[in-house]
Amino acid sequence: MPTIGQGVLEIRIRDTSGAYRVIYVAKFSNAIYVLHCFQKKAQKTSRLDLDLAESRYRELLKESGK
């Protein structure tokens, strides 16, 4: 998901109760960081969900010194 940041990926899950997304980054050697997970209620991912994942990604970069 380059709209959030370099190396950010998503997992899409569908089951009988709906569609879900997990936004994560795995480019750091020590861990996989889940930035945000949520149930999709509409076709388009809301700006609020994308902004939250992006702000968490920026905070992670700041903490890691990258």
Side-chain angles (χ1 to χ4, degrees):
M1 299 190 74
T3 57
I4 295 175
Q6 185 178 12
V8 176
L9 303 167
E10 75 173 330
I11 297 173
R12 297 175 179 195
I13 303 164
R14 270 189 196 269
D15 71 5
T16 56
S17 64
Y20 301 86
R21 297 290 186 268
V22 178
I23 301 173
Y24 69 98
V25 62
K27 71 179 194 175
F28 302 100
S29 61
N30 58 340
I32 295 172
Y33 294 93
V34 175
L35 303 173
H36 188 43
C37 53
F38 56 96
Q39 181 176 10
K40 286 203 49 159
K41 305 273 183 179
Q43 181 69 23
K44 186 176 179 182
T45 303
S46 79
R47 187 77 243 167
L48 184 71
D49 289 314
L50 295 174
D51 288 347
L52 180 57
E54 185 178 358
S55 70
R56 289 175 176 169
Y57 178 72
R58 278 189 259 120
E59 186 64 30
L60 178 61
L61 289 177
K62 190 186 326 179
E63 287 177 11
S64 69
K66 298 208 179 233

